[in-house]
Amino acid sequence: MFSRRHWVPPGALIFAQLSQGASWLLLLWAGVTGSISSIGFPAVAWIHAVALGSGTTAAAGVLLHVIPRFSDVRWRSEKLARYSLFFFCAGVVLFVGALLSRPNLAVFGAGVILLALLTYITVAIVTLTQAFRGERTERAIARALLVTLLFLVVTALLGFALTAWISGYTSAAWIAALPAAHGNLGMLGWLSLLVFGVSVRTVRPITGARSRFPAAHIIVGSFTFIGVLLLAIGLAGVSTLVWPGALLFGCAALVYALDLLDILRRAIGPFGAPRAFLLAAVLWLLSALGLGAGALSGHPWQLAYGFVLLAGWLGQMINAHVYHIGVRVMLTAYRGEDDETRPQTVLDARLSWISFAAFQLAIASATFGLLVQNGNAVSIGGALGALGWLAMMANLSIARSRAIEQQSSISLL
């Protein structure tokens, strides 16, 4: 699966996309069966299909390129890190499948996930420590990545403890207070903080513009770290820390959103689908802030908040990168590491915009359904999301065919 050492493992991106497709079908099923009124096993299965299967798999795959490129280091035991992703994916399949059929067996999938992540993270930490002998910029990037990976470690450990608890392997009462802390550590401390940091570099090739506010990423990173830490501790029992943590993260998200909106306003060239997905992602992030504030104020918006964070903010950010970086990975896989073909030359613009529209309508419909407990709206959201995913897969298939055709034409010249 990962034997060919492309700069980002294609297998990881493929699994992430398959997980996203499965998540929309799970959402459709949840709406039809009425499994949307509480955070039960179907909801937990959907959350982890997205957070682990789609988000974490894609992130870990991209980090295989980001860590050496951004920190100016060479991977230590890179093969071990790559193969750990294979076992991680297997663990996600076991875990999500068990939640939907035999919840008491979910702990075994969680165990595989935890061991795979600990292996990957250990190799990544050993690799990143090399950067502390380098220049100031590389040291700062390494520290930021290490903090993000430590959030992932804590999230994974809490997740395993929770799974052991719901599977009946432990009855420790303190674990019952961890679900909200675990969820926010994963969505905000791991995935959001990683996107905040990595997108400083990845948004530039998508937009052709860079931030005009160099201090913005420092504010965003610092406020996110402190805010998520306080929020998680608060949600785990120290209630006085909940709102200070939430407000700090909210400030970080606002600074990031304003900076990205300014970059998009100054983007060079035509406004293509990847930039539209970036815009949608940041607007869904702002929407999630409002839903999160409402949930903390006592409104029953927790499911809608988590859904918008995962499917809206993180999901659309991933889609933006799939339509640019994902296509670049595909092109280099078929045409060599030195290929510089622009993604839009092999993509079908009509399918790009169809997928964009379908995804945004899907998120809006499902969010409305979750807020008012309307299963039909959630089902429509799931169906539209599946349509958007199919359009994106068809588009990527066309891009693959065009990449192969163009390479064949070049070889004949």
Side-chain angles (χ1 to χ4, degrees), residues 107 160-173 175-177 179:
V107 69
F160 181 77
L162 282 164
T163 308
W165 180 63
I166 64 175
S167 299
Y169 290 93
T170 180
S171 57
I175 298 178

Side-chain angles (χ1 to χ4, degrees), residues 35-286:
S35 306
I36 61 169
S37 58
S38 62
I39 305 180
F41 289 123
V44 175
W46 181 89
I47 289 169
H48 288 87
V50 179
L52 291 177
S54 181
T56 299
T57 304
V62 171
L63 279 176
L64 285 169
H65 168 68
V66 165
I67 286 176
R69 183 67 178 271
F70 289 14
S71 303
D72 194 25
V73 295
R74 291 179 63 86
W75 270 99
R76 296 285 183 88
S77 304
E78 181 181 358
K79 184 178 291 188
L80 181 60
R82 287 176 176 259
Y83 276 104
S84 69
L85 287 184
F86 175 83
F87 290 98
F88 171 77
C89 294
V92 172
V93 173
L94 292 173
F95 181 67
V96 174
L99 287 174
L100 295 172
S101 56
R102 298 284 298 277
N104 61 309
L105 300 180
V107 69
F108 297 105
V112 175
I113 290 170
L114 179 61
L115 290 175
L117 283 178
L118 289 178
T119 300
Y120 179 93
I121 293 167
T122 299
V123 175
I125 290 174
V126 171
T127 299
L128 283 167
T129 55
Q130 299 174 89
F132 294 128
R133 298 191 295 267
E135 300 296 328
R136 177 180 178 183
T137 300
E138 284 72 27
R139 293 199 304 270
I141 292 172
R143 282 195 297 270
L145 289 171
L146 284 170
V147 167
T148 307
L149 288 170
L150 289 176
F151 271 122
L152 177 58
V153 170
V154 177
T155 302
L157 290 171
L158 292 183
F160 181 77
L162 282 164
T163 308
W165 180 63
I166 64 175
S167 299
Y169 290 93
T170 180
S171 57
W174 58 271
I175 298 178
L178 297 181
H182 164 70
N184 281 281
L185 279 170
M187 293 186 293
L188 306 181
W190 156 234
L191 290 171
S192 292
L193 182 57
L194 181 65
V195 170
F196 289 158
V198 172
S199 64
V200 171
R201 298 283 188 91
T202 59
V203 165
R204 193 181 307 167
I206 297 175
T207 63
R210 64 177 67 193
S211 173
R212 295 188 298 168
F213 310 104
H217 73 278
I218 298 175
I219 296 171
V220 171
S222 301
F223 279 27
T224 299
F225 170 68
I226 299 171
V228 173
L229 197 59
L230 294 178
L231 178 62
I233 295 172
L235 292 171
V238 188
S239 58
T240 54
L241 298 180
V242 170
W243 275 106
L247 289 172
L248 277 173
F249 178 80
C251 290
L254 285 172
V255 171
Y256 177 84
L258 291 173
D259 189 34
L260 182 53
L261 290 172
D262 180 65
I263 292 172
L264 289 169
R265 182 181 63 83
R266 296 180 291 104
I268 300 170
F271 187 79
R275 297 177 189 178
F277 276 110
L278 287 177
L279 176 60
V282 78
L283 294 178
W284 287 119
L285 172 60
L286 296 175

Side-chain angles (χ1 to χ4, degrees), residues 355-385:
S355 64
F356 172 79
F359 279 133
Q360 309 324 308
L361 291 172
I363 298 165
S365 178
T367 301
F368 172 77
L370 291 171
L371 287 173
V372 301
Q373 296 295 294
N374 186 311
N376 289 332
V378 173
S379 298
I380 292 171
L384 286 169

